Amino acid sequence: MEERKWEELTFDCLVCIFSKLGLEDLTIGVPLVCKTWHGASLDPECWKILDFQDMDFTTNSKFIARFNQEYQIPNFSFASFMKLSISKSHGSAIKLTIPSMLGLSFYQDLISASIECPRLKVLALPTLLRQDDQQIPGLIGRWKDLEILEMKWKPISFFELIEEIRANCPKFMGLHLCGHFEGKEAQAIVKCLPKLRSLVMRGSFLRREDLMMILNGCKELQEVDVSRCRGFDADDEILKKASSRIKKFACEGSKVEEYYVNGLYGYGNLFFAFIFGDY
């Protein structure tokens, strides 16, 4: 059999292959090989998935050093790199994941994304600064095709956020976040997101009665992950019965804390348990 050569691959074939690569390969890898690969790497199809979460943006990052060297940039900034990546997508991006970067505001970046990535289906956000947190509801409604929202921590503007989703995102089906949830939050989820199919609240504070409210109110749920939560027992028989209709239900490691039983379990306790892994 005759061996096929990379240089003989068609443009469309190259685009198909490159569309499966990450942003690091698309910026300091394939475009530097040859003109043909460079041209194929510029196709918007390669930039539909803008996943920054697994990239290294620390001070000693090898990626940043190589990027600065290849493109002769004296000072790298995440905001500029994100803007560059978004511009290459030419409006085709369907997934945007932003990494955790301590003390950095993402509001201006998200404004740009809301304008230049109108087809976004999946948005993953880190824990936001307070001023950014309060502005998120006003941006979420711009993504009419949004299906899944992932957040590291429940935002202060939680009620406004899911109300915007209810009003402007008819295809929405997945909510992934951690935080302190009580009856009013459970009621809001049922009211605003009754067609929810995926709910991940791993590591949250959530009482059994509030979880039951969500399970009974969101009847289209197919995936629920409430593992390692505080506020209910993973072996609760009533909860097991209520969750039996859900295809994928995870609650391993969840338990009722002594502080919770006494009515003293606070938001701060949950936060530290989440940060230091004892949850």
Side-chain angles (χ1 to χ4, degrees), residues 219-258:
K219 300 185 183 301
E220 296 185 24
L221 279 169
Q222 297 183 11
E223 175 192 16
V224 175
D225 187 347
V226 286
S227 56
R228 295 186 292 175
C229 284
R230 295 296 182 261
F232 67 89
D233 193 332
D235 295 323
D236 188 289
E237 292 300 326
I238 296 177
L239 184 58
K240 286 183 178 181
K241 183 177 180 180
S243 62
S244 60
R245 65 176 177 80
I246 298 173
K247 292 182 179 180
K248 186 178 179 181
F249 184 84
C251 63
E252 295 80 6
S254 295
K255 56 185 177 180
V256 179
E257 288 288 351
E258 179 182 353

Side-chain angles (χ1 to χ4, degrees), residues 27-241:
T27 50
I28 61 172
V30 294
L32 306 178
V33 174
C34 63
K35 290 183 179 180
T36 302
W37 284 30
H38 177 265
S41 72
L42 294 177
D43 192 284
E45 190 70 19
C46 299
W47 300 84
K48 293 178 71 173
I49 308 298
L50 303 179
D51 186 354
F52 300 96
Q53 285 189 344
D54 294 331
M55 300 182 70
D56 182 6
F57 295 109
T58 60
T59 305
N60 299 320
S61 167
K62 292 182 179 180
F63 163 72
I64 292 179
R66 175 79 185 281
F67 187 89
N68 289 346
Q69 178 184 354
E70 295 294 345
Y71 295 96
Q72 299 182 351
I73 297 175
N75 296 303
F76 179 94
S77 75
F78 174 76
S80 297
F81 181 68
M82 179 174 165
K83 184 176 182 179
L84 172 67
S85 302
I86 287 177
S87 68
K88 288 179 178 293
S89 73
H90 293 282
S92 68
I94 59 173
K95 181 177 181 178
L96 173 63
T97 66
I98 299 178
S100 296
M101 302 181 75
L102 189 63
L104 186 64
S105 171
F106 294 106
Y107 182 55
Q108 292 301 323
D109 303 317
L110 290 172
I111 289 179
S112 297
S114 70
I115 297 171
E116 298 186 50
C117 304
R119 302 176 185 174
L120 215 58
K121 294 183 179 181
V122 179
L123 176 64
L125 300 174
T127 301
L128 301 171
L129 298 180
R130 180 179 290 268
Q131 60 266 33
D132 292 354
D133 180 308
Q134 295 172 337
Q135 301 295 331
I136 285 298
L139 295 177
I140 286 293
R142 299 183 182 183
W143 288 297
K144 308 298 182 183
D145 294 330
L146 190 67
E147 296 178 5
I148 298 174
L149 175 64
E150 302 177 9
M151 302 187 75
K152 289 288 185 182
W153 197 253
K154 188 190 77 174
I156 299 171
S157 55
F158 176 75
F159 295 106
E160 296 84 354
L161 177 67
I162 61 172
E163 179 59 38
E164 283 293 325
I165 292 174
R166 181 199 67 78
N168 297 291
C169 308
K171 300 177 183 178
F172 192 82
M173 62 179 182
L175 181 64
H176 304 175
L177 75 174
C178 174
H180 186 109
F181 295 88
E182 295 188 351
K184 55 185 179 180
E185 284 89 359
Q187 291 175 357
I189 290 174
V190 172
K191 174 186 175 183
C192 297
L193 310 174
K195 295 184 178 181
L196 207 59
R197 299 177 64 184
S198 174
L199 179 63
V200 177
M201 303 171 75
R202 186 170 51 248
S204 295
F205 172 79
L206 180 66
R207 294 175 296 185
R208 185 187 73 175
E209 55 266 36
D210 298 327
L211 176 55
M212 292 283 291
M213 184 189 306
I214 295 173
L215 297 181
N216 292 328
C218 299
K219 300 185 183 301
E220 296 185 24
L221 279 169
Q222 297 183 11
E223 175 192 16
V224 175
D225 187 347
V226 286
S227 56
R228 295 186 292 175
C229 284
R230 295 296 182 261
F232 67 89
D233 193 332
D235 295 323
D236 188 289
E237 292 300 326
I238 296 177
L239 184 58
K240 286 183 178 181
K241 183 177 180 180

